[in-house]
Amino acid sequence: MNLPSAFEEKMKYLLGTEYDDYLNCFDEPRHYGLRVNTAKISVEDFLKISPWPLKKVPWIHNGFYYDGENCQPAKHPYYYAGLYYLQEPSAMTPADRLPIEPGDRVLDVCAAPGGKATELGARLNGTGVLAANDLSNSRAKGLLKNIELMGIGNVLVLSEEPGKLIPYFTEYFDKILIDAPCSGEGMFRKDRKMIRAWEEHGPDYFSKIQRSIITQAAQMLRPGGMILYSTCTFSPEENEQTIEYLLKQRPDFDICEMEGYEGFSQGLPEMTDSGDERLRHTVRIFPHRMKGEGHFLALLRKKETGSPEEERVAAPSTYPGAGSCRKSGAQTGARTGAGRKKLPEELTSFLADINRQFDPDRMDIRGDKVYYMPEGMPALNGIRFLRTGLFLGELKKKRFEPSQAFAMNLKKEEYARIIDLPVSDERVIKYLKGETLDVEDLVSAKEKGWYLVCVDGYPLGFGKLAGQVLKNKYLPGWRWQSV
């Protein structure tokens, strides 16, 4: 293994007598991780149906190792049902260690491809709002797919420079996660291409970006709120020194201890100018000490200046009833005499078959598209977004066509008409490939309309039934691709 000499010298200094152990871990196999999506299934229930042997990731309650050389979890119907996310074990740690509470407003600043955002969304359990942002529009599209696949509906998917978000979200969020762009030294063992990237853009390059992001995020956090900052690098410039910079710039922040694990290492205040002992409460993950790649984490709290009720500011022009994000000419639904929004009949007819309460004032109709907005949304005029709220579907010639995102957000017991196939049924793969299904053994000749297709009780998407034949409505861009 040929490592850059500058990197080797730094690691020798950081690790001392453990440096040889670190080098030896490059010869060990990589670790493959699977995180159960608790928005859809409990860990206990997933273990009952898991198609493969799994071994617990000991510091993550819903994380597991699998044999990536002999298993293909990404080619299984349960993956398409959003029951789990494939994620490197150490990378599960930041979202796990950020304390999320029901109703929180949460921002993931650098969210693509969505491994951390989807865990944050699952822990919100349909409450509050998750704002998932990524500067790259192409990466944000992949982020949106993963969020919708995991069934997360109380969401904003944004694609902006973090600094541009500040006027919209000043002191708005309760929790913020920053998985900062970094030099990637912790990934050298997993991905050798990262070494060449490091030689092109090293710690000095990324530390400037990180300092900008973390100070911008600080302005969007309410007093009393928390930031979890993480990188996948060993560089002190990008880790302890970035946190030191924030503490100097913002004395209203402090470092919090987080739930430990025997393999975690303390932060290194001796690698900073100040030697601030609080930095020992940050966490380093080294691949020779535990079964995961290299990471750094710091949990920070913004000091309160008043009572918690006073600190949680309301955003201007918030939902319900706000005019945010609407394009010109958009319909929002007429108002009844009592002031309640009157929704199109075709939409209310479809929603009548769903065992869930919807607030009409949170419905946002833009052109022919219908969205269900999170509560307390700020006006977002002038900001780049890919999704605001749960995309329910489209109004088409006096009919409503439900979306793929809506299907993934539903539970089997919430919808009146279900076609539930066992995972062994060949029609599961046919459905995922976009094929029409013969379901005469499952429905009567008179039945028709929209059906929610499930595998072992977990939704995959919609189909439209006529004459015991199910017309496939699975989203074309998500379809099963044969190897």
Side-chain angles (χ1 to χ4, degrees):
M1 182 66 189
N2 293 319
L3 294 168
S5 57
F7 173 74
E8 286 187 313
E9 290 305 313
K10 175 173 64 180
M11 293 304 291
K12 287 176 182 177
Y13 184 75
L14 286 176
L15 293 172
T17 57
E18 294 184 34
Y19 179 70
D20 287 341
D21 293 335
Y22 167 70
L23 282 185
N24 290 337
C25 80
F26 279 83
D27 297 324
E28 298 173 1
R30 61 171 288 191
H31 305 293
Y32 295 87
L34 175 155
R35 177 177 50 76
V36 177
N37 177 19
T38 55
K40 289 182 172 284
I41 187 171
S42 69
V43 171
E44 294 74 20
D45 286 343
F46 182 74
L47 291 176
K48 293 174 185 175
I49 65 172
S50 175
W52 323 276
L54 298 175
K55 185 178 179 181
K56 191 81 175 66
V57 176
W59 68 96
I60 304 291
H61 78 284
N62 58 337
F64 295 88
Y65 299 102
Y66 69 92
D67 182 357
E69 302 301 324
N70 297 297
C71 303
Q72 287 188 298
K75 296 295 290 183
H76 193 280
Y78 292 162
Y79 177 83
Y80 289 77
L83 299 192
Y84 51 83
Y85 189 96
L86 302 180
Q87 188 173 26
E88 191 278 317
S90 289
M92 300 176 188
T93 315
D96 185 82
R97 291 307 194 264
L98 180 59
I100 301 298
E101 299 174 10
D104 273 349
R105 299 166 176 172
V106 181
L107 169 64
D108 188 344
V109 181
C110 311
K116 299 169 180 68
T118 51
E119 172 64 8
L120 297 173
R123 290 168 62 197
L124 283 171
N125 195 27
T127 67
V129 60
L130 170 67
N133 178 67
D134 201 273
L135 176 60
S136 166
N137 189 260
S138 60
R139 283 169 55 83
K141 289 176 182 177
L143 166 67
L144 173 61
K145 178 186 175 180
N146 282 325
I147 285 174
E148 293 186 335
L149 178 65
M150 298 290 117
I152 310 300
N154 51 322
V155 69
L156 301 175
V157 178
L158 308 166
S159 182
E160 279 293 0
E161 291 267 8
K164 190 170 180 182
L165 300 177
I166 296 171
Y168 299 87
F169 296 108
T170 301
E171 294 192 343
Y172 176 82
F173 292 105
D174 301 292
K175 308 287 164 58
I176 297 178
L177 189 145
I178 307 168
D179 187 39
C182 69
S183 60
E185 296 169 353
M187 296 293 116
F188 285 2
R189 198 180 77 93
K190 175 186 172 184
D191 185 356
R192 307 300 165 91
K193 294 191 297 293
M194 293 298 298
I195 297 174
R196 177 169 293 182
W198 182 90
E199 291 174 328
E200 294 177 3
H201 294 296
D204 288 344
Y205 172 84
F206 283 102
S207 64
K208 296 179 178 66
I209 296 172
Q210 293 150 356
R211 292 180 182 197
S212 174
I213 291 174
I214 198 169
T215 51
Q216 290 168 343
Q219 298 177 62
M220 292 185 275
L221 188 71
R222 71 165 178 84
M226 304 180 83
I227 289 178
L228 191 296
Y229 173 86
S230 67
T231 71
C232 58
T233 194
F234 303 122
S235 161
E237 298 97 314
E238 302 176 71
N239 295 335
E240 290 91 349
Q241 291 176 26
T242 294
I243 302 305
E244 176 189 45
Y245 177 81
L246 176 70
L247 297 178
K248 288 180 177 178
Q249 296 293 315
R250 297 294 303 254
D252 55 336
F253 274 80
D254 205 354
I255 300 175
C256 303
E257 292 189 58
M258 65 188 86
E259 181 187 347
Y261 172 65
E262 61 183 359
F264 289 173
S265 303
Q266 290 182 330
L268 302 172
E270 58 269 28
M271 302 303 296
T272 65
D273 290 336
S274 67
D276 191 331
E277 283 296 315
R278 292 177 294 175
L279 291 164
R280 294 203 189 278
H281 295 317
T282 64
V283 168
R284 283 176 167 268
I285 296 176
F286 291 104
H288 64 286
R289 290 188 180 178
M290 49 197 291
K291 293 182 179 179
E293 306 305 328
H295 261 72
F296 172 85
L297 300 91
L299 183 61
L300 302 137
R301 183 187 296 275
K302 192 176 191 178
K303 296 173 185 176
E304 295 183 12
T305 56
S307 70
E309 292 75 17
E310 293 172 338
E311 303 293 4
R312 201 171 199 265
V313 299
S317 304
T318 58
Y319 270 89
S324 67
C325 312
R326 297 192 179 102
K327 298 176 182 177
S328 59
Q331 307 174 74
T332 61
R335 294 272 164 182
T336 67
R340 298 288 288 177
K341 186 184 293 184
K342 189 178 187 303
L343 300 175
E345 183 178 347
E346 56 269 37
L347 174 59
T348 57
S349 176
F350 184 88
L351 295 180
D353 288 330
I354 295 176
N355 184 25
R356 184 192 295 183
Q357 293 294 318
F358 290 93
D359 179 356
D361 284 333
R362 288 171 58 187
M363 292 288 179
D364 192 11
I365 301 174
R366 290 173 241 153
D368 59 357
K369 293 181 170 58
V370 183
Y371 301 86
Y372 192 61
M373 307 298 286
E375 291 185 279
M377 287 273 295
L380 299 177
N381 307 82
I383 203 169
R384 289 192 303 173
F385 58 87
L386 281 73
R387 180 73 78 244
T388 54
L390 173 62
F391 175 42
L392 296 180
E394 297 181 70
L395 300 165
K396 293 187 175 182
K397 297 179 181 177
K398 296 297 180 181
R399 71 181 191 275
F400 175 74
E401 292 200 358
S403 72
Q404 181 69 38
F406 197 6
M408 302 309 292
N409 184 255
L410 288 170
K411 303 268 192 303
K412 174 187 173 182
E413 57 271 18
E414 289 183 307
Y415 192 63
R417 293 188 292 275
I418 298 291
I419 290 177
D420 191 11
L421 302 170
V423 71
S424 57
D425 193 315
E426 64 179 12
R427 287 175 292 189
V428 173
I429 304 300
K430 287 183 177 180
Y431 175 77
L432 293 173
K433 288 182 175 180
E435 298 176 17
T436 299
L437 302 185
D438 185 339
V439 291
E440 62 180 9
D441 59 322
L442 300 174
V443 297
S444 69
K446 294 182 179 180
E447 292 181 78
K448 62 180 181 178
W450 289 97
Y451 277 71
L452 185 64
V453 180
C454 300
V455 56
D456 289 340
Y458 299 98
L460 292 172
F462 282 108
K464 199 164 189 182
L465 184 68
Q468 297 180 306
V469 173
L470 189 77
K471 184 177 180 181
N472 199 305
K473 295 293 183 177
Y474 191 66
L475 192 65
W478 288 22
R479 287 177 184 169
W480 183 287
Q481 301 295 320
S482 299
V483 179

